[in-house]
């Protein structure tokens, strides 16, 4: 009965490949997020969706494309992976705006070789 | 510019000692302030939040934080640290009409027996 789940937990891939990370929440929330945490633990928002609509799109390369098939899911597809994409990617959800509590998934550690 | 500063990258305390983690923010509107904790290999969990009212807020796991508007600070405290408190702690700021939280760079807490 995990609240926010992500798959896979670990992802190791070669430069130039395309990969996807999936996120699901069973909290009934209407807002979902993708964050990137770099090697220095700095956490930065990438995207936010509210009711399947994109509402935050930070300065993220267009190789990153989020997709929200429904309110409970927010997937992240990354094309042409680069070394600098190596990081931990966190999915989160909240009810309404970000000032409500955000619930985070366990993270996906992406390593690009 | 909106930002959060956590001046201490790494803090080490003995079990049973008191703890204070510092957080300073810069925000153009009325700030909503948060402390999140990240245990190793886990996602972030909300410890406490401040929106308005009493400037001393209580959170989970025996933590509290005090909002000081004049100092633009929101320091986290715990009177007696337990070994299980060893983790990374993140301060974050948001606002009423924003969907984005801005996180600090985190403070890593190490607890010695």
């Amino acid at each position: 009965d995990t609240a926010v789940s992500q798959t896979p937990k670990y992802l190791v891939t070669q430069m130039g490949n395309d990969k996807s990370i999936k996120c699901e929440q069973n909290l009934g929330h209407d807002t979902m997020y993708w964050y990137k945490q770099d090697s220095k633990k700095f956490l930065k928002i990438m995207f936010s969706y509210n009711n399947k609509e994109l509402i935050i799109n930070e300065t993220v390369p267009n190789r990153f494309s989020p997709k929200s098939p429904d309110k409970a899911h927010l997937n992240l597809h990354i094309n042409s992976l680069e070394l600098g994409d190596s990081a931990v990617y966190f999915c989160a959800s909240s009810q309404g705006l970000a000032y409500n509590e955000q619930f985070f998934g366990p993270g996906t550690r992406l390593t690009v070789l | 510019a909106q930002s959060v500063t956590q001046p201490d990258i790494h803090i080490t305390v003995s079990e049973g000692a008191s703890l204070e983690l510092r957080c300073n923010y810069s925000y153009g509107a009325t700030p909503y302030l948060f402390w999140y904790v990240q245990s190793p290999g886990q996602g972030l969990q909300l410890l406490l939040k401040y929106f308005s009212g009493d400037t001393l807020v209580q959170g989970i796991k025996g933590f509290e934080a005090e909002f000081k508007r004049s100092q633009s600070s929101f320091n986290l405290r715990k009177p007696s640290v337990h070994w299980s408190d060893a983790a990374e702690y993140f301060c974050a700021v948001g606002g009423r009409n924003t969907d984005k939280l801005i996180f600090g760079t985190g403070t890593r807490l190490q607890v010695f027996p």
Side-chain angles (χ1 to χ4, degrees), chain B residues 33-81:
Chain B
L33 293 154
F34 307 80
W35 275 100
Y36 280 83
V37 60
Q38 183 181 20
S39 298
Q42 303 294 317
L44 281 71
Q45 180 186 21
L46 181 68
L47 282 177
L48 47 78
K49 62 187 178 185
Y50 171 78
F51 287 174
S52 64
D54 192 346
T55 56
L56 185 64
V57 293
Q58 303 296 321
I60 62 171
K61 305 185 182 190
F63 285 92
E64 67 178 26
E66 186 172 12
F67 171 59
K68 293 185 177 180
R69 184 184 300 275
S70 61
Q71 298 177 20
S72 297
S73 70
F74 189 56
N75 294 348
L76 182 71
R77 300 194 294 249
K78 186 169 184 178
S80 178
V81 169

Side-chain angles (χ1 to χ4, degrees), chain B residues 86-98:
Chain B
E88 192 89 22
Y89 291 80
F90 292 91
C91 182
V93 66
R96 180 175 178 78
N97 295 315
T98 183

Side-chain angles (χ1 to χ4, degrees), chain A residues 50-65:
Chain A
N50 176 262
N51 286 314
K52 301 194 299 174
E53 287 193 25
L54 181 66
I55 52 175
I56 290 179
N57 184 352
E58 291 293 285
T59 50
V60 177
N62 57 15
R63 298 182 294 103
F64 290 79
S65 53

Side-chain angles (χ1 to χ4, degrees), chain A residues 15-73:
Chain A
M15 265 195 330
N17 284 350
D18 303 338
K19 291 293 178 186
S20 292
I21 307 172
K22 295 186 176 181
C23 177
E24 177 181 3
Q25 54 96 1
N26 62 6
L27 298 166
H29 290 165
D30 60 2
T31 307
M32 296 184 73
Y33 312 81
W34 277 112
Y35 287 88
K36 179 181 181 180
Q37 186 177 48
D38 63 22
S39 57
K40 295 184 179 178
K41 300 282 190 177
F42 181 59
L43 194 66
K44 191 171 189 304
I45 190 163
M46 300 172 69
F47 303 103
S48 170
Y49 270 74
N50 176 262
N51 286 314
K52 301 194 299 174
E53 287 193 25
L54 181 66
I55 52 175
I56 290 179
N57 184 352
E58 291 293 285
T59 50
V60 177
N62 57 15
R63 298 182 294 103
F64 290 79
S65 53
K67 281 191 173 51
S68 182
D70 54 56
K71 285 199 308 183
H73 296 85

